[in-house]
Amino acid sequence: MADPSDALVLALHEVEAVKFGNFKLKSGIWSPIYIDLRVIVSYPNLLQQVADAMWALVCPSVVGESDAAAKFDVVCGVPYTALPIATAISLSRNVPMVMRRKEVKGYGTRKAIEGAFKTGQHCLVIEDLVTSGASVMETVDPLNEVGLNVTDVVVLIDREQGGAAHLAARGLRLHAALTLTHVVTALVKHGKLTNDVAESVTKFIAENQTANPGAAPAPAATVSPVTAAPSPAVVSRKSYAARADLAKNEVGRRLWEIMERKKTNLSVAADVESAEELLNLAETIGSEICVLKTHVDILPDFTPEFGKRIREIATRLDFLVFEDRKFADIGNTVTMQYGGGIYKISEWADIVNAHGVPGPGIIKGLKQKGGSLLLLAEMSSAGTLAHSTYTAATLRMALTDPEYVIGFISINPGGWRNGDTAAAASSGACAELAAAVKEAEAAGVWDTLVHMTPGVQLAAGGDALGQQYNTPQAVIKERGSDIIIVGRGIIKAADPLEAARKYREAGWAAYEASLAAAAAAGTV
């Protein structure tokens, strides 16, 4: 069966929406490729094909009720090229649409956003092409100002020049039907483009990464307060081997050593439908990972035998088991939850995690049953209360017991040193986080703490349409995290082992690049 994304690329090429040559762009630089999607309005069937491909990335009924699905009540196209696409989606899917005026009139209602909507609703932003993400933010900000929440952006083509990372810095997930790399690869495969031209485009992408457009943060009441991307300064980085020597916790030391020994910083989120499927997955991809992340309470066929079997596989294939339990109760209760009940998590999990809301007592309670602990320092969900002051408090909680707390679930640890978060309520809040990092450094703890970041996919995507989340490069090199957590991109792949191998290689390449950059900048 033909790849539907290849068919879409060929259709775009046929109407000259994708051109090759030597083109001067708006920025003044010369490009070997030019994307002109305005032409698709003259081809109704192609316009609907584009709309269908983009809808398939974000509709819960298509991708399932998972993290991949976007949350929205209305849609809004970025003017002007994306307006027909948004209209096609609205009409064919019966989804309400609003419009942003590019030029607000000085008479009449003087509205920036036209259409019927309610404050607090979620809006899906639709764009034709993303380079730096600046045009998207020009639409997101006015939507936020009228009380609409925006957490997701769907685009036909991602030029892979930094836009996804810049949007992620503002708490926005980019869903891309196609990437420039996929466009070029498909055209070469079908004999429409020579390898020489394809190589020139690949080189152009690599040499022309965009700077963060730096749009002003939206009001905290209407935008997902996700931590920002790091500042342009190179993120400090020590090798995993060096950090193993510094580790204050035995499990933490083992984790760093496994990462170094296996050359992997990949964790797989094994959110599958049965214990047997999870165990089979562990056998299949265990050689590629450093951590297997589980949600044991979703397994309908769980038995006490599960713990023994997962421990045997983990020992044999050299990875750690992380039960993503997210404990959040008082110390006495979490002690019983961790060690008792039907799951007896403490008997088979190397790592668990917890919220910091209950205070340091939760650390003391879990420690009674052994293992090691990750604290949830940042979250990417809309409306999260994990502002920079919360992140600072969570870091300070970790400092109360560095022999048990091995690190964090985080989004942008590279920005902590500068207090860099989009969720910061004030400059004082940013300063608080920066001060907490300095305290951790002074205590000799900062470099012992591991950071794990969820929501990672390869730039080329994990499915037939090339869906893209945060890339390993963005998470490891730009944001300073240590471990990428990948779910659907591997567990839903036709060949999970091959997918895991690609993610491992991408994650490790990003780590080596970050080491080299840190060494060159003197921030090792």
Side-chain angles (χ1 to χ4, degrees), residues 249-272:
N249 174 287
E250 175 61 19
V251 177
R253 181 187 60 77
R254 284 171 52 208
L255 176 56
W256 294 120
E257 289 177 345
I258 288 171
M259 293 163 70
E260 184 72 28
R261 180 167 57 247
K262 295 177 68 176
K263 292 186 172 12
T264 179
N265 49 17
L266 172 63
S267 170
V268 170
D271 295 337
V272 293

mmCIF file with all atom_site columns, all heavy atoms in Angstrom, residues 249-272:
data_model
loop_
_atom_site.group_PDB
_atom_site.id
_atom_site.type_symbol
_atom_site.label_atom_id
_atom_site.label_alt_id
_atom_site.label_comp_id
_atom_site.label_asym_id
_atom_site.label_entity_id
_atom_site.label_seq_id
_atom_site.pdbx_PDB_ins_code
_atom_site.Cartn_x
_atom_site.Cartn_y
_atom_site.Cartn_z
_atom_site.occupancy
_atom_site.B_iso_or_equiv
_atom_site.pdbx_formal_charge
_atom_site.auth_seq_id
_atom_site.auth_comp_id
_atom_site.auth_asym_id
_atom_site.auth_atom_id
_atom_site.pdbx_PDB_model_num
ATOM 1   N N   . ASN A 1 249 ? 23.334 7.955  45.414 1.00 0.00 ? 249 ASN A N   1
ATOM 2   C CA  . ASN A 1 249 ? 22.349 6.895  45.565 1.00 0.00 ? 249 ASN A CA  1
ATOM 3   C C   . ASN A 1 249 ? 22.763 5.722  44.683 1.00 0.00 ? 249 ASN A C   1
ATOM 4   O O   . ASN A 1 249 ? 23.167 5.913  43.540 1.00 0.00 ? 249 ASN A O   1
ATOM 5   C CB  . ASN A 1 249 ? 20.969 7.434  45.151 1.00 0.00 ? 249 ASN A CB  1
ATOM 6   C CG  . ASN A 1 249 ? 19.903 6.360  45.132 1.00 0.00 ? 249 ASN A CG  1
ATOM 7   O OD1 . ASN A 1 249 ? 19.876 5.511  44.256 1.00 0.00 ? 249 ASN A OD1 1
ATOM 8   N ND2 . ASN A 1 249 ? 19.011 6.416  46.113 1.00 0.00 ? 249 ASN A ND2 1
ATOM 9   N N   . GLU A 1 250 ? 22.651 4.511  45.217 1.00 0.00 ? 250 GLU A N   1
ATOM 10  C CA  . GLU A 1 250 ? 23.101 3.334  44.480 1.00 0.00 ? 250 GLU A CA  1
ATOM 11  C C   . GLU A 1 250 ? 22.319 3.145  43.178 1.00 0.00 ? 250 GLU A C   1
ATOM 12  O O   . GLU A 1 250 ? 22.892 2.821  42.130 1.00 0.00 ? 250 GLU A O   1
ATOM 13  C CB  . GLU A 1 250 ? 22.954 2.086  45.358 1.00 0.00 ? 250 GLU A CB  1
ATOM 14  C CG  . GLU A 1 250 ? 23.283 0.768  44.654 1.00 0.00 ? 250 GLU A CG  1
ATOM 15  C CD  . GLU A 1 250 ? 24.724 0.688  44.163 1.00 0.00 ? 250 GLU A CD  1
ATOM 16  O OE1 . GLU A 1 250 ? 25.581 1.465  44.657 1.00 0.00 ? 250 GLU A OE1 1
ATOM 17  O OE2 . GLU A 1 250 ? 24.994 -0.147 43.285 1.00 0.00 ? 250 GLU A OE2 1
ATOM 18  N N   . VAL A 1 251 ? 21.012 3.356  43.222 1.00 0.00 ? 251 VAL A N   1
ATOM 19  C CA  . VAL A 1 251 ? 20.213 3.210  42.008 1.00 0.00 ? 251 VAL A CA  1
ATOM 20  C C   . VAL A 1 251 ? 20.599 4.286  40.994 1.00 0.00 ? 251 VAL A C   1
ATOM 21  O O   . VAL A 1 251 ? 20.718 4.026  39.794 1.00 0.00 ? 251 VAL A O   1
ATOM 22  C CB  . VAL A 1 251 ? 18.702 3.287  42.316 1.00 0.00 ? 251 VAL A CB  1
ATOM 23  C CG1 . VAL A 1 251 ? 17.886 3.218  41.021 1.00 0.00 ? 251 VAL A CG1 1
ATOM 24  C CG2 . VAL A 1 251 ? 18.295 2.157  43.248 1.00 0.00 ? 251 VAL A CG2 1
ATOM 25  N N   . GLY A 1 252 ? 20.810 5.508  41.491 1.00 0.00 ? 252 GLY A N   1
ATOM 26  C CA  . GLY A 1 252 ? 21.239 6.582  40.610 1.00 0.00 ? 252 GLY A CA  1
ATOM 27  C C   . GLY A 1 252 ? 22.561 6.270  39.940 1.00 0.00 ? 252 GLY A C   1
ATOM 28  O O   . GLY A 1 252 ? 22.739 6.495  38.734 1.00 0.00 ? 252 GLY A O   1
ATOM 29  N N   . ARG A 1 253 ? 23.489 5.734  40.713 1.00 0.00 ? 253 ARG A N   1
ATOM 30  C CA  . ARG A 1 253 ? 24.793 5.362  40.141 1.00 0.00 ? 253 ARG A CA  1
ATOM 31  C C   . ARG A 1 253 ? 24.633 4.287  39.079 1.00 0.00 ? 253 ARG A C   1
ATOM 32  O O   . ARG A 1 253 ? 25.214 4.371  37.991 1.00 0.00 ? 253 ARG A O   1
ATOM 33  C CB  . ARG A 1 253 ? 25.722 4.862  41.254 1.00 0.00 ? 253 ARG A CB  1
ATOM 34  C CG  . ARG A 1 253 ? 27.128 4.473  40.754 1.00 0.00 ? 253 ARG A CG  1
ATOM 35  C CD  . ARG A 1 253 ? 27.954 3.834  41.849 1.00 0.00 ? 253 ARG A CD  1
ATOM 36  N NE  . ARG A 1 253 ? 27.334 2.612  42.356 1.00 0.00 ? 253 ARG A NE  1
ATOM 37  C CZ  . ARG A 1 253 ? 27.370 1.443  41.718 1.00 0.00 ? 253 ARG A CZ  1
ATOM 38  N NH1 . ARG A 1 253 ? 27.978 1.344  40.547 1.00 0.00 ? 253 ARG A NH1 1
ATOM 39  N NH2 . ARG A 1 253 ? 26.790 0.387  42.247 1.00 0.00 ? 253 ARG A NH2 1
ATOM 40  N N   . ARG A 1 254 ? 23.804 3.286  39.352 1.00 0.00 ? 254 ARG A N   1
ATOM 41  C CA  . ARG A 1 254 ? 23.564 2.221  38.377 1.00 0.00 ? 254 ARG A CA  1
ATOM 42  C C   . ARG A 1 254 ? 22.956 2.770  37.094 1.00 0.00 ? 254 ARG A C   1
ATOM 43  O O   . ARG A 1 254 ? 23.309 2.343  35.995 1.00 0.00 ? 254 ARG A O   1
ATOM 44  C CB  . ARG A 1 254 ? 22.642 1.155  38.975 1.00 0.00 ? 254 ARG A CB  1
ATOM 45  C CG  . ARG A 1 254 ? 23.321 0.216  39.966 1.00 0.00 ? 254 ARG A CG  1
ATOM 46  C CD  . ARG A 1 254 ? 22.294 -0.661 40.662 1.00 0.00 ? 254 ARG A CD  1
ATOM 47  N NE  . ARG A 1 254 ? 21.420 -1.341 39.704 1.00 0.00 ? 254 ARG A NE  1
ATOM 48  C CZ  . ARG A 1 254 ? 20.159 -1.704 39.975 1.00 0.00 ? 254 ARG A CZ  1
ATOM 49  N NH1 . ARG A 1 254 ? 19.635 -1.439 41.159 1.00 0.00 ? 254 ARG A NH1 1
ATOM 50  N NH2 . ARG A 1 254 ? 19.452 -2.335 39.056 1.00 0.00 ? 254 ARG A NH2 1
ATOM 51  N N   . LEU A 1 255 ? 22.049 3.736  37.252 1.00 0.00 ? 255 LEU A N   1
ATOM 52  C CA  . LEU A 1 255 ? 21.413 4.312  36.078 1.00 0.00 ? 255 LEU A CA  1
ATOM 53  C C   . LEU A 1 255 ? 22.434 5.004  35.184 1.00 0.00 ? 255 LEU A C   1
ATOM 54  O O   . LEU A 1 255 ? 22.471 4.774  33.969 1.00 0.00 ? 255 LEU A O   1
ATOM 55  C CB  . LEU A 1 255 ? 20.326 5.303  36.502 1.00 0.00 ? 255 LEU A CB  1
ATOM 56  C CG  . LEU A 1 255 ? 19.630 6.064  35.365 1.00 0.00 ? 255 LEU A CG  1
ATOM 57  C CD1 . LEU A 1 255 ? 19.021 5.107  34.360 1.00 0.00 ? 255 LEU A CD1 1
ATOM 58  C CD2 . LEU A 1 255 ? 18.573 7.000  35.942 1.00 0.00 ? 255 LEU A CD2 1
ATOM 59  N N   . TRP A 1 256 ? 23.273 5.865  35.761 1.00 0.00 ? 256 TRP A N   1
ATOM 60  C CA  . TRP A 1 256 ? 24.303 6.547  34.964 1.00 0.00 ? 256 TRP A CA  1
ATOM 61  C C   . TRP A 1 256 ? 25.226 5.534  34.296 1.00 0.00 ? 256 TRP A C   1
ATOM 62  O O   . TRP A 1 256 ? 25.617 5.702  33.135 1.00 0.00 ? 256 TRP A O   1
ATOM 63  C CB  . TRP A 1 256 ? 25.132 7.482  35.835 1.00 0.00 ? 256 TRP A CB  1
ATOM 64  C CG  . TRP A 1 256 ? 24.401 8.651  36.417 1.00 0.00 ? 256 TRP A CG  1
ATOM 65  C CD1 . TRP A 1 256 ? 24.234 8.954  37.734 1.00 0.00 ? 256 TRP A CD1 1
ATOM 66  C CD2 . TRP A 1 256 ? 23.758 9.722  35.689 1.00 0.00 ? 256 TRP A CD2 1
ATOM 67  N NE1 . TRP A 1 256 ? 23.530 10.111 37.885 1.00 0.00 ? 256 TRP A NE1 1
ATOM 68  C CE2 . TRP A 1 256 ? 23.225 10.613 36.651 1.00 0.00 ? 256 TRP A CE2 1
ATOM 69  C CE3 . TRP A 1 256 ? 23.581 9.991  34.347 1.00 0.00 ? 256 TRP A CE3 1
ATOM 70  C CZ2 . TRP A 1 256 ? 22.532 11.761 36.290 1.00 0.00 ? 256 TRP A CZ2 1
ATOM 71  C CZ3 . TRP A 1 256 ? 22.894 11.142 33.978 1.00 0.00 ? 256 TRP A CZ3 1
ATOM 72  C CH2 . TRP A 1 256 ? 22.378 12.002 34.940 1.00 0.00 ? 256 TRP A CH2 1
ATOM 73  N N   . GLU A 1 257 ? 25.581 4.479  35.040 1.00 0.00 ? 257 GLU A N   1
ATOM 74  C CA  . GLU A 1 257 ? 26.494 3.475  34.489 1.00 0.00 ? 257 GLU A CA  1
ATOM 75  C C   . GLU A 1 257 ? 25.847 2.695  33.345 1.00 0.00 ? 257 GLU A C   1
ATOM 76  O O   . GLU A 1 257 ? 26.505 2.391  32.339 1.00 0.00 ? 257 GLU A O   1
ATOM 77  C CB  . GLU A 1 257 ? 26.933 2.513  35.603 1.00 0.00 ? 257 GLU A CB  1
ATOM 78  C CG  . GLU A 1 257 ? 27.880 3.165  36.604 1.00 0.00 ? 257 GLU A CG  1
ATOM 79  C CD  . GLU A 1 257 ? 28.257 2.240  37.745 1.00 0.00 ? 257 GLU A CD  1
ATOM 80  O OE1 . GLU A 1 257 ? 27.578 1.194  37.924 1.00 0.00 ? 257 GLU A OE1 1
ATOM 81  O OE2 . GLU A 1 257 ? 29.218 2.547  38.473 1.00 0.00 ? 257 GLU A OE2 1
ATOM 82  N N   . ILE A 1 258 ? 24.566 2.362  33.482 1.00 0.00 ? 258 ILE A N   1
ATOM 83  C CA  . ILE A 1 258 ? 23.860 1.673  32.402 1.00 0.00 ? 258 ILE A CA  1
ATOM 84  C C   . ILE A 1 258 ? 23.830 2.550  31.155 1.00 0.00 ? 258 ILE A C   1
ATOM 85  O O   . ILE A 1 258 ? 24.079 2.087  30.027 1.00 0.00 ? 258 ILE A O   1
ATOM 86  C CB  . ILE A 1 258 ? 22.421 1.312  32.833 1.00 0.00 ? 258 ILE A CB  1
ATOM 87  C CG1 . ILE A 1 258 ? 22.450 0.172  33.854 1.00 0.00 ? 258 ILE A CG1 1
ATOM 88  C CG2 . ILE A 1 258 ? 21.564 0.917  31.621 1.00 0.00 ? 258 ILE A CG2 1
ATOM 89  C CD1 . ILE A 1 258 ? 21.100 -0.101 34.501 1.00 0.00 ? 258 ILE A CD1 1
ATOM 90  N N   . MET A 1 259 ? 23.530 3.831  31.342 1.00 0.00 ? 259 MET A N   1
ATOM 91  C CA  . MET A 1 259 ? 23.460 4.760  30.214 1.00 0.00 ? 259 MET A CA  1
ATOM 92  C C   . MET A 1 259 ? 24.798 4.820  29.484 1.00 0.00 ? 259 MET A C   1
ATOM 93  O O   . MET A 1 259 ? 24.859 4.770  28.254 1.00 0.00 ? 259 MET A O   1
ATOM 94  C CB  . MET A 1 259 ? 23.050 6.142  30.711 1.00 0.00 ? 259 MET A CB  1
ATOM 95  C CG  . MET A 1 259 ? 21.620 6.189  31.245 1.00 0.00 ? 259 MET A CG  1
ATOM 96  S SD  . MET A 1 259 ? 21.268 7.643  32.261 1.00 0.00 ? 259 MET A SD  1
ATOM 97  C CE  . MET A 1 259 ? 21.287 8.936  31.012 1.00 0.00 ? 259 MET A CE  1
ATOM 98  N N   . GLU A 1 260 ? 25.868 4.918  30.252 1.00 0.00 ? 260 GLU A N   1
ATOM 99  C CA  . GLU A 1 260 ? 27.198 4.992  29.650 1.00 0.00 ? 260 GLU A CA  1
ATOM 100 C C   . GLU A 1 260 ? 27.576 3.668  28.993 1.00 0.00 ? 260 GLU A C   1
ATOM 101 O O   . GLU A 1 260 ? 28.104 3.643  27.873 1.00 0.00 ? 260 GLU A O   1
ATOM 102 C CB  . GLU A 1 260 ? 28.225 5.365  30.728 1.00 0.00 ? 260 GLU A CB  1
ATOM 103 C CG  . GLU A 1 260 ? 29.634 5.578  30.206 1.00 0.00 ? 260 GLU A CG  1
ATOM 104 C CD  . GLU A 1 260 ? 29.780 6.869  29.403 1.00 0.00 ? 260 GLU A CD  1
ATOM 105 O OE1 . GLU A 1 260 ? 29.029 7.827  29.650 1.00 0.00 ? 260 GLU A OE1 1
ATOM 106 O OE2 . GLU A 1 260 ? 30.655 6.899  28.508 1.00 0.00 ? 260 GLU A OE2 1
ATOM 107 N N   . ARG A 1 261 ? 27.286 2.559  29.677 1.00 0.00 ? 261 ARG A N   1
ATOM 108 C CA  . ARG A 1 261 ? 27.692 1.238  29.185 1.00 0.00 ? 261 ARG A CA  1
ATOM 109 C C   . ARG A 1 261 ? 26.939 0.845  27.914 1.00 0.00 ? 261 ARG A C   1
ATOM 110 O O   . ARG A 1 261 ? 27.539 0.332  26.965 1.00 0.00 ? 261 ARG A O   1
ATOM 111 C CB  . ARG A 1 261 ? 27.454 0.211  30.291 1.00 0.00 ? 261 ARG A CB  1
ATOM 112 C CG  . ARG A 1 261 ? 27.818 -1.205 29.939 1.00 0.00 ? 261 ARG A CG  1
ATOM 113 C CD  . ARG A 1 261 ? 27.852 -2.094 31.168 1.00 0.00 ? 261 ARG A CD  1
ATOM 114 N NE  . ARG A 1 261 ? 26.606 -2.121 31.902 1.00 0.00 ? 261 ARG A NE  1
ATOM 115 C CZ  . ARG A 1 261 ? 26.438 -1.618 33.131 1.00 0.00 ? 261 ARG A CZ  1
ATOM 116 N NH1 . ARG A 1 261 ? 27.446 -1.031 33.758 1.00 0.00 ? 261 ARG A NH1 1
ATOM 117 N NH2 . ARG A 1 261 ? 25.273 -1.704 33.742 1.00 0.00 ? 261 ARG A NH2 1
ATOM 118 N N   . LYS A 1 262 ? 25.642 1.117  27.882 1.00 0.00 ? 262 LYS A N   1
ATOM 119 C CA  . LYS A 1 262 ? 24.817 0.722  26.735 1.00 0.00 ? 262 LYS A CA  1
ATOM 120 C C   . LYS A 1 262 ? 24.694 1.821  25.681 1.00 0.00 ? 262 LYS A C   1
ATOM 121 O O   . LYS A 1 262 ? 24.094 1.601  24.632 1.00 0.00 ? 262 LYS A O   1
ATOM 122 C CB  . LYS A 1 262 ? 23.417 0.326  27.214 1.00 0.00 ? 262 LYS A CB  1
ATOM 123 C CG  . LYS A 1 262 ? 23.400 -0.919 28.093 1.00 0.00 ? 262 LYS A CG  1
ATOM 124 C CD  . LYS A 1 262 ? 21.994 -1.237 28.598 1.00 0.00 ? 262 LYS A CD  1
ATOM 125 C CE  . LYS A 1 262 ? 21.050 -1.681 27.504 1.00 0.00 ? 262 LYS A CE  1
ATOM 126 N NZ  . LYS A 1 262 ? 19.713 -2.074 28.031 1.00 0.00 ? 262 LYS A NZ  1
ATOM 127 N N   . LYS A 1 263 ? 25.263 2.999  25.996 1.00 0.00 ? 263 LYS A N   1
ATOM 128 C CA  . LYS A 1 263 ? 25.146 4.151  25.100 1.00 0.00 ? 263 LYS A CA  1
ATOM 129 C C   . LYS A 1 263 ? 23.673 4.424  24.758 1.00 0.00 ? 263 LYS A C   1
ATOM 130 O O   . LYS A 1 263 ? 23.281 4.485  23.591 1.00 0.00 ? 263 LYS A O   1
ATOM 131 C CB  . LYS A 1 263 ? 25.983 3.943  23.834 1.00 0.00 ? 263 LYS A CB  1
ATOM 132 C CG  . LYS A 1 263 ? 27.489 3.955  24.101 1.00 0.00 ? 263 LYS A CG  1
ATOM 133 C CD  . LYS A 1 263 ? 28.276 3.894  22.835 1.00 0.00 ? 263 LYS A CD  1
ATOM 134 C CE  . LYS A 1 263 ? 29.760 4.103  23.009 1.00 0.00 ? 263 LYS A CE  1
ATOM 135 N NZ  . LYS A 1 263 ? 30.312 4.072  24.353 1.00 0.00 ? 263 LYS A NZ  1
ATOM 136 N N   . THR A 1 264 ? 22.902 4.592  25.801 1.00 0.00 ? 264 THR A N   1
ATOM 137 C CA  . THR A 1 264 ? 21.486 4.868  25.620 1.00 0.00 ? 264 THR A CA  1
ATOM 138 C C   . THR A 1 264 ? 20.982 5.820  26.690 1.00 0.00 ? 264 THR A C   1
ATOM 139 O O   . THR A 1 264 ? 21.343 5.699  27.867 1.00 0.00 ? 264 THR A O   1
ATOM 140 C CB  . THR A 1 264 ? 20.649 3.573  25.647 1.00 0.00 ? 264 THR A CB  1
ATOM 141 O OG1 . THR A 1 264 ? 19.265 3.911  25.491 1.00 0.00 ? 264 THR A OG1 1
ATOM 142 C CG2 . THR A 1 264 ? 20.820 2.805  26.944 1.00 0.00 ? 264 THR A CG2 1
ATOM 143 N N   . ASN A 1 265 ? 20.170 6.768  26.277 1.00 0.00 ? 265 ASN A N   1
ATOM 144 C CA  . ASN A 1 265 ? 19.448 7.618  27.223 1.00 0.00 ? 265 ASN A CA  1
ATOM 145 C C   . ASN A 1 265 ? 17.947 7.541  26.931 1.00 0.00 ? 265 ASN A C   1
ATOM 146 O O   . ASN A 1 265 ? 17.212 8.505  27.116 1.00 0.00 ? 265 ASN A O   1
ATOM 147 C CB  . ASN A 1 265 ? 19.945 9.068  27.173 1.00 0.00 ? 265 ASN A CB  1
ATOM 148 C CG  . ASN A 1 265 ? 20.016 9.620  25.756 1.00 0.00 ? 265 ASN A CG  1
ATOM 149 O OD1 . ASN A 1 265 ? 19.413 9.067  24.833 1.00 0.00 ? 265 ASN A OD1 1
ATOM 150 N ND2 . ASN A 1 265 ? 20.751 10.704 25.572 1.00 0.00 ? 265 ASN A ND2 1
ATOM 151 N N   . LEU A 1 266 ? 17.526 6.366  26.500 1.00 0.00 ? 266 LEU A N   1
ATOM 152 C CA  . LEU A 1 266 ? 16.140 6.133  26.098 1.00 0.00 ? 266 LEU A CA  1
ATOM 153 C C   . LEU A 1 266 ? 15.360 5.405  27.187 1.00 0.00 ? 266 LEU A C   1
ATOM 154 O O   . LEU A 1 266 ? 15.777 4.364  27.680 1.00 0.00 ? 266 LEU A O   1
ATOM 155 C CB  . LEU A 1 266 ? 16.105 5.301  24.812 1.00 0.00 ? 266 LEU A CB  1
ATOM 156 C CG  . LEU A 1 266 ? 14.729 4.795  24.358 1.00 0.00 ? 266 LEU A CG  1
ATOM 157 C CD1 . LEU A 1 266 ? 13.792 5.949  24.028 1.00 0.00 ? 266 LEU A CD1 1
ATOM 158 C CD2 . LEU A 1 266 ? 14.880 3.856  23.155 1.00 0.00 ? 266 LEU A CD2 1
ATOM 159 N N   . SER A 1 267 ? 14.205 5.974  27.520 1.00 0.00 ? 267 SER A N   1
ATOM 160 C CA  . SER A 1 267 ? 13.238 5.305  28.381 1.00 0.00 ? 267 SER A CA  1
ATOM 161 C C   . SER A 1 267 ? 11.966 5.109  27.566 1.00 0.00 ? 267 SER A C   1
ATOM 162 O O   . SER A 1 267 ? 11.513 6.027  26.884 1.00 0.00 ? 267 SER A O   1
ATOM 163 C CB  . SER A 1 267 ? 12.925 6.153  29.623 1.00 0.00 ? 267 SER A CB  1
ATOM 164 O OG  . SER A 1 267 ? 11.822 5.615  30.336 1.00 0.00 ? 267 SER A OG  1
ATOM 165 N N   . VAL A 1 268 ? 11.394 3.933  27.642 1.00 0.00 ? 268 VAL A N   1
ATOM 166 C CA  . VAL A 1 268 ? 10.157 3.655  26.908 1.00 0.00 ? 268 VAL A CA  1
ATOM 167 C C   . VAL A 1 268 ? 8.984  3.616  27.883 1.00 0.00 ? 268 VAL A C   1
ATOM 168 O O   . VAL A 1 268 ? 9.039  2.919  28.902 1.00 0.00 ? 268 VAL A O   1
ATOM 169 C CB  . VAL A 1 268 ? 10.250 2.333  26.123 1.00 0.00 ? 268 VAL A CB  1
ATOM 170 C CG1 . VAL A 1 268 ? 8.886  1.926  25.577 1.00 0.00 ? 268 VAL A CG1 1
ATOM 171 C CG2 . VAL A 1 268 ? 11.243 2.479  24.979 1.00 0.00 ? 268 VAL A CG2 1
ATOM 172 N N   . ALA A 1 269 ? 7.939  4.386  27.560 1.00 0.00 ? 269 ALA A N   1
ATOM 173 C CA  . ALA A 1 269 ? 6.710  4.378  28.341 1.00 0.00 ? 269 ALA A CA  1
ATOM 174 C C   . ALA A 1 269 ? 5.843  3.229  27.843 1.00 0.00 ? 269 ALA A C   1
ATOM 175 O O   . ALA A 1 269 ? 5.216  3.314  26.791 1.00 0.00 ? 269 ALA A O   1
ATOM 176 C CB  . ALA A 1 269 ? 5.988  5.710  28.191 1.00 0.00 ? 269 ALA A CB  1
ATOM 177 N N   . ALA A 1 270 ? 5.808  2.147  28.614 1.00 0.00 ? 270 ALA A N   1
ATOM 178 C CA  . ALA A 1 270 ? 5.151  0.909  28.179 1.00 0.00 ? 270 ALA A CA  1
ATOM 179 C C   . ALA A 1 270 ? 3.673  0.925  28.563 1.00 0.00 ? 270 ALA A C   1
ATOM 180 O O   . ALA A 1 270 ? 3.201  0.090  29.347 1.00 0.00 ? 270 ALA A O   1
ATOM 181 C CB  . ALA A 1 270 ? 5.858  -0.298 28.784 1.00 0.00 ? 270 ALA A CB  1
ATOM 182 N N   . ASP A 1 271 ? 2.929  1.865  28.005 1.00 0.00 ? 271 ASP A N   1
ATOM 183 C CA  . ASP A 1 271 ? 1.498  1.979  28.308 1.00 0.00 ? 271 ASP A CA  1
ATOM 184 C C   . ASP A 1 271 ? 0.707  1.072  27.370 1.00 0.00 ? 271 ASP A C   1
ATOM 185 O O   . ASP A 1 271 ? 0.045  1.521  26.429 1.00 0.00 ? 271 ASP A O   1
ATOM 186 C CB  . ASP A 1 271 ? 1.041  3.431  28.170 1.00 0.00 ? 271 ASP A CB  1
ATOM 187 C CG  . ASP A 1 271 ? 1.696  4.330  29.200 1.00 0.00 ? 271 ASP A CG  1
ATOM 188 O OD1 . ASP A 1 271 ? 2.138  3.803  30.247 1.00 0.00 ? 271 ASP A OD1 1
ATOM 189 O OD2 . ASP A 1 271 ? 1.775  5.552  28.977 1.00 0.00 ? 271 ASP A OD2 1
ATOM 190 N N   . VAL A 1 272 ? 0.795  -0.216 27.652 1.00 0.00 ? 272 VAL A N   1
ATOM 191 C CA  . VAL A 1 272 ? 0.139  -1.228 26.827 1.00 0.00 ? 272 VAL A CA  1
ATOM 192 C C   . VAL A 1 272 ? -1.057 -1.796 27.582 1.00 0.00 ? 272 VAL A C   1
ATOM 193 O O   . VAL A 1 272 ? -1.339 -1.406 28.715 1.00 0.00 ? 272 VAL A O   1
ATOM 194 C CB  . VAL A 1 272 ? 1.129  -2.343 26.449 1.00 0.00 ? 272 VAL A CB  1
ATOM 195 C CG1 . VAL A 1 272 ? 2.212  -1.799 25.527 1.00 0.00 ? 272 VAL A CG1 1
ATOM 196 C CG2 . VAL A 1 272 ? 1.775  -2.943 27.703 1.00 0.00 ? 272 VAL A CG2 1
#
